[in-house]
Structure formats: structure tokens, C-alpha cells
């Protein structure tokens, strides 16, 4: 008789170098820094990132809710000891499906598992009855990776909001261009036909707008807006005006405005450097600034000037904010000091639909006073129906502030100038 080959029953799940690394990472968890509720919310949001699907998210939420809230305290041990059969009953899936999903969650680094020789899950307690270890589903790695996964969710949401904004703007530009093409009677048929063919060529190039990239939609929107200007026979924008449009603030109504650029930033001569006290063409009421506002970028090349830099933030007076945001009076706010404006911010956020988390992140990044100005600007633009998602708009301003690219003074003075022109006309 030949030798009989004995197949030993495998013990536990297959261990790969990645899974072993996840186990080691879970041991470094600082338990008590993240609550069970935060992990449950994170597990529900992970589906938008593509890391897990909806069913796996359902299972992960069930695992998190199985562990008592006290297990996420300093002396706790967030380990699940339920069997696959019990988990399958709770989420309405088969036992085999639950086993495969647990392996997927293990591979994604959202759980770690320690199986016993008989596949049972049980805790190991010390003499005081506290759980020190166990064979089961360990959730400590979620605590370690919470900040990383939360940032991933935030980035995906920001990209989705940017893509939705680009899509809405493209569709609006296309609709406006087609309407202007049908309503314009001052141009010849030949010119209208040529512009109309270009509009349709842009539309055909984009194809299905919902499937196009944000970059393509932005480029198509710029082309459509340029064609719309041609249809309306608007004067062409000068090259200098286009390049300095986002770098100067021609409308100043307060002496606290700090002019950080000049109307002629590309002159090479150092003799033409101008301080912020110099005359500003087309200004309503020219103001002055401190000595550090002296323009230092005139001797640089244009490519250097256009590079993003962290510039000192210009401070604005409370009266400038009140003048630029007439929506404050519309909603019954009449702040007489920065403290009054700060106390009114929670109610302003409620009117605009801004979440507490968005407001808190703005305060952490910008400070209470600058965050109050940002909320006031958001409320004004929401009242003008220029912003459809005030919470997303404030989060975008917070992200720009973190990157050093937010200039609230320009927004305030720009809104003040617009309000001044509307009152005059």
C-alpha cells in the first residue's frame, strides 16, 4: 500500500506580509483618542472612496456597534467575538459571504483578525476580569488609521464638489450660449453660423457632460464664455487686465486696506515701485496701508509673480464688513464690535445651512475673527444666490486658507464695491 498523504486542517486565515503589518500597526493604537460614534460615521462614509462597497460598510458598522462604547476608552479593548453565523444573521447575508467580506476588510486594513485553532472566538482575561487579549476581530487599526481615512473621505468629497460645480457651470454656459445665439439679431448669418458651429463643436467634444473630467469642463466653459462675449459684442479684455484681475483691488473704502500689489506689476524698472499710499486709478476712496505693503515683486519675472505665495493677510475694519454684507441687516444682525459679530455667527450659520463642523474647521484654520468674516461673505453670496452650497463654499475657503491662497480683504472690498455700484445705479 502506498503512503497516505495527510492534509492538515489549516489554522486560521492565510497570513500575508501586508496582514502581518496591519497586525503590528494595530498594536500601536492609542485607545481613547477616537470614539465609537466617530468610527461608525467613518465606516458609513468609506463607500464614497471606493475602498469598500456598501455591503462591506454595513458589516463594518455592525462590528463597530457590537463593541461596547467603554471598549474605546483608555482601558478598553475593541475586539469582536461574534461568530460568522451570528454576523450573517444580523446583516442578512450568508455565512460564506461574511467570511469573504471579513477577508476583504482585513486586506483593506480596516480590521485585523486572530483565529484560534478551532476557529472559535473568545476573550483572554486577567485576574481582575479585564480583557487583555483574545481571538476575534480586532478594531484597533481603525483607531490608528482614523485621521488618514477621514482625510481621504474629505478629499474625495472635495473633488466631487469641484466636479459638480464644474458640471453646473458648463451646462449653464452652454445654455446661455445657445440662447444668445438664437436671440442675437445684430450679427450676420455668416458670423452666427460660424459661432454656432463652434459652440456645437465644443459640445460634441465634451460629449456626455456627466462623464467628462473637471479639467475638460473648465476648458469648455471658458471657450463658451468667450463665444458668448463675441455674440454679445463685448469689448475684448486687455491682456494686462486679465493678468492683474486677481491680484489688485481697485475699489477701496477704508484706510485699513493693505495694497499688496500695484496696478503695474510687470514693469521691470525699479524706479516705478509704488507704495500702497500711492494713487489708485478707478478707486472709489483710496486708502493707505502700513509700510510693509511696499511692493517688492516688480523686479521679478512674470512666471515668478504668478507662483502661489503665502502673503500677509490684509485686515479689514468691521464697518467694511457691514458695508460689504448688506445681508447682515436683511437677517436682522447689527454688530457693533467683533465680539457681537462672533456671537452672531452660529445663528448666521443656521440661516445659511453651514454645519458646525465646517464652522469649527474655519475657526481652527483662520482664527475666530477671520472665520467670522468668511461666514459673513458666504452669507452675502448665498443671499445673492451665487452660492448653492454655503457649507461647501466655507470649507473651500478654509482649504485655501490652509494653502495660503485665501484673501478675504479682496472679497470684502469687492463686495463693498459691487454694493456701492448697485446703490448708485
Amino acid at each position: 500500500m502506498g503512503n497516505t498523504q495527510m492534509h492538515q486542517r489549516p489554522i486560521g486565515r492565510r497570513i500575508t506580509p501586508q496582514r502581518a503589518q496591519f497586525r503590528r500597526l494595530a498594536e500601536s493604537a492609542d485607545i481613547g483618542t477616537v470614539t465609537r460614534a466617530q468610527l461608525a460615521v467613518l465606516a458609513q462614509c468609506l463607500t464614497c472612496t471606493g475602498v469598500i462597497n456598501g455591503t462591506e460598510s454595513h458589516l463594518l458598522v455592525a462590528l463597530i456597534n457590537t463593541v461596547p462604547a467603554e471598549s474605546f476608552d483608555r482601558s478598553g479593548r475593541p475586539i469582536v467575538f461574534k461568530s460568522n453565523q451570528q454576523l450573517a444573521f444580523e446583516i442578512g447575508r450568508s455565512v460564506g459571504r461574511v467570511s469573504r467580506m471579513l477577508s476583504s476588510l482585513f486586506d483593506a486594513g480596516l480590521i485585523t483578525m486572530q483565529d484560534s485553532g478551532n476557529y472559535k472566538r473568545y476573550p483572554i482575561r486577567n485576574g481582575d476580569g479585564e480583557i487583555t487579549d483574545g481571538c476575534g476581530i480586532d478594531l484597533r487599526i481603525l483607531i490608528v488609521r482614523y485621521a488618514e481615512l477621514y482625510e481621504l473621505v474629505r478629499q474625495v468629497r472635495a473633488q466631487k464638489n469641484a466636479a459638480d460645480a464644474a458640471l453646473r457651470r458648463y451646462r449653464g454656459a452652454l445654455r446661455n450660449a445657445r440662447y444668445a445665439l438664437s436671440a442675437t439679431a445684430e450679427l450676420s448669418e455668416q458670423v452666427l453660423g460660424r459661432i454656432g458651429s463652434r459652440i456645437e463643436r465644443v459640445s460634441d467634444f465634451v460629449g456626455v457632460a456627466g462623464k467628462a473630467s473637471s479639467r475638460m469642463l473648465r476648458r469648455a466653459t471658458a471657450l463658451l464664455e468667450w463665444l458668448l462675449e463675441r455674440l454679445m459684442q463685448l469689448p475684448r479684455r486687455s491682456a494686462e487686465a486679465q493678468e492683474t484681475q486677481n491680484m489688485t483691488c481697485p475699489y477701496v473704502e477704508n484706510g485699513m486696506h493693505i495694497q499688496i500689489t500695484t496696478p503695474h506689476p510687470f514693469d521691470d524698472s525699479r524706479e516705478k515701485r509704488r507704495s500702497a499710499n500711492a494713487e489708485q486709478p478707478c478707486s472709489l476712496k483710496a486708502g493707505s496701508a502700513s509700510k510693509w505693503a511696499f511692493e517688492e515683486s516688480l523686479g521679478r519675472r512674470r512666471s515668478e509673480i504668478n507662483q502661489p505665495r503665502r502673503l500677509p493677510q490684509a485686515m479689514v475694519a468691521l464697518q467694511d464688513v457691514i458695508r460689504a454684507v448688506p445681508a447682515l441687516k436683511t437677517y436682522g444682525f447689527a454688530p457693533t464690535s467683533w465680539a457681537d459679530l462672533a456671537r452672531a455667527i452660529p445663528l448666521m450659520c443656521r440661516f445659511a445651512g453651514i454645519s458646525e463642523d465646517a464652522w469649527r474647521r474655519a475657526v481652527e484654520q483662520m482664527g475666530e475673527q477671520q472665520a467670522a468674516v468668511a461666514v459673513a461673505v458666504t452669507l452675502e453670496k448665498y443671499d445673492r444666490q451665487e452660492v448653492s452650497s454655503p457649507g461647501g463654499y466655507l470649507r473651500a475657503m478654509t482649504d485655501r486658507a490652509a494653502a495660503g491662497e485665501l484673501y478675504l480683504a479682496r472679497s470684502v472690498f469687492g463686495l463693498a464695491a459691487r454694493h456701492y455700484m448697485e446703490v448708485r445705479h
Side-chain angles (χ1 to χ4, degrees):
M1 297 180 62
N3 294 331
T4 303
Q5 185 177 1
M6 300 296 293
H7 295 280
Q8 295 182 354
R9 182 182 181 184
I11 300 177
R13 295 180 183 270
R14 179 172 55 89
I15 296 299
T16 62
Q18 187 179 22
R19 291 182 175 181
Q21 181 64 26
F22 287 148
R23 282 186 179 179
R24 180 184 299 179
L25 187 63
E27 295 175 357
S28 63
D30 186 9
I31 302 176
T33 57
V34 182
T35 64
R36 184 180 68 174
Q38 290 176 309
L39 293 180
V41 173
L42 176 65
Q44 293 174 348
C45 298
L46 282 177
T47 53
C48 68
T49 63
V51 176
I52 56 177
N53 56 34
T55 308
E56 292 169 346
S57 174
H58 187 193
L59 175 60
L60 185 58
V61 172
L63 291 173
I64 294 172
N65 291 332
T66 297
V67 181
E70 300 79 25
S71 299
F72 292 93
D73 294 338
R74 288 289 180 182
S75 59
R77 197 78 170 184
I79 302 177
V80 179
F81 303 108
K82 284 184 178 180
S83 64
N84 289 356
Q85 185 175 3
Q86 180 63 28
L87 292 173
F89 173 76
E90 292 181 359
I91 68 172
R93 295 293 186 270
S94 65
V95 177
R97 180 73 181 278
V98 168
S99 179
R100 290 190 295 270
M101 286 192 295
L102 289 175
S103 297
S104 299
L105 293 176
F106 200 169
D107 292 330
L110 301 179
I111 63 171
T112 58
M113 301 184 66
Q114 178 67 44
D115 291 327
S116 63
N118 58 358
Y119 296 96
K120 300 295 183 180
R121 294 172 183 157
Y122 54 86
I124 299 176
R125 303 179 184 273
N126 57 14
D128 298 331
E130 298 177 350
I131 298 177
T132 58
D133 201 353
C135 295
I137 305 170
D138 197 339
L139 303 179
R140 288 180 296 174
I141 193 170
L142 277 178
I143 300 176
V144 178
R145 301 187 62 195
Y146 177 78
E148 171 196 350
L149 297 173
Y150 181 83
E151 180 64 19
L152 177 62
V153 172
R154 191 193 64 80
Q155 291 179 359
V156 171
R157 286 179 171 175
Q159 293 173 1
K160 180 64 167 58
N161 292 336
D164 291 343
L167 178 60
R168 288 193 299 267
R169 186 174 179 185
Y170 165 75
R171 287 174 173 171
L174 181 61
R175 181 173 59 252
N176 293 337
R178 286 173 173 172
Y179 177 78
L181 184 65
S182 62
T184 301
E186 299 178 359
L187 301 177
S188 62
E189 292 292 336
Q190 182 179 3
V191 175
L192 291 177
R194 185 164 57 249
I195 296 178
S197 64
R198 291 183 180 180
I199 293 174
E200 296 305 322
R201 193 182 308 167
V202 172
S203 177
D204 294 339
F205 180 77
V206 173
V208 181
K211 297 181 180 180
S213 63
S214 300
R215 181 182 179 185
M216 180 185 297
L217 291 176
R218 286 193 294 267
R219 293 181 60 186
T221 302
L223 289 174
L224 291 173
E225 291 177 348
W226 178 76
L227 292 173
L228 180 61
E229 292 178 358
R230 291 285 304 275
L231 284 171
M232 295 299 179
Q233 296 181 337
L234 298 178
R236 292 188 178 183
R237 302 177 183 177
S238 62
E240 182 177 333
Q242 291 179 0
E243 291 175 347
T244 61
Q245 180 179 8
N246 294 328
M247 295 193 294
T248 61
C249 181
Y251 301 107
V252 182
E253 296 190 7
N254 181 270
M256 294 186 65
H257 172 66
I258 298 176
Q259 177 70 20
I260 59 176
T261 56
T262 70
H264 308 283
F266 304 123
D267 294 339
D268 294 329
S269 174
R270 294 181 178 270
E271 299 297 331
K272 295 183 180 180
R273 290 189 176 182
R274 302 164 58 133
S275 71
N277 295 323
E279 178 185 356
Q280 300 184 27
C282 303
S283 64
L284 300 178
K285 295 180 182 179
S288 60
S290 58
K291 295 180 180 179
W292 60 261
F294 190 78
E295 181 59 54
E296 296 289 345
S297 63
L298 297 177
R300 302 180 181 179
R301 298 179 182 176
R302 181 176 306 180
S303 60
E304 295 176 354
I305 295 175
N306 289 335
Q307 294 298 325
R309 297 180 299 152
R310 292 184 179 271
L311 297 172
Q313 288 295 317
M315 300 299 295
V316 295
L318 178 62
Q319 295 302 321
D320 288 328
V321 178
I322 296 175
R323 197 177 303 122
V325 186
L328 292 175
K329 295 182 179 179
T330 303
Y331 288 96
F333 300 108
T336 58
S337 63
W338 287 110
D340 291 343
L341 181 63
R343 283 192 292 268
I345 290 304
L347 190 57
M348 292 167 57
C349 292
R350 194 174 305 171
F351 285 149
I354 299 174
S355 65
E356 183 180 354
D357 178 69
W359 158 242
R360 190 185 307 111
R361 286 189 61 229
V363 172
E364 293 174 357
Q365 186 60 46
M366 294 183 270
E368 189 173 13
Q369 181 172 326
Q370 292 291 318
V373 176
V375 172
V377 170
T378 304
L379 179 66
E380 174 63 20
K381 293 194 175 185
Y382 176 69
D383 188 63
R384 290 174 176 265
Q385 297 183 351
E386 297 177 1
V387 173
S388 59
S389 176
Y393 188 80
L394 181 61
R395 290 181 186 275
M397 295 176 71
T398 305
D399 294 339
R400 294 189 66 181
E405 300 174 355
L406 180 66
Y407 308 103
L408 280 176
R410 298 180 187 177
S411 301
V412 171
F413 293 128
L415 287 173
R418 288 174 57 184
H419 180 60
Y420 177 82
M421 298 301 293
E422 291 171 358
V423 171
R424 284 188 58 184
H425 296 286

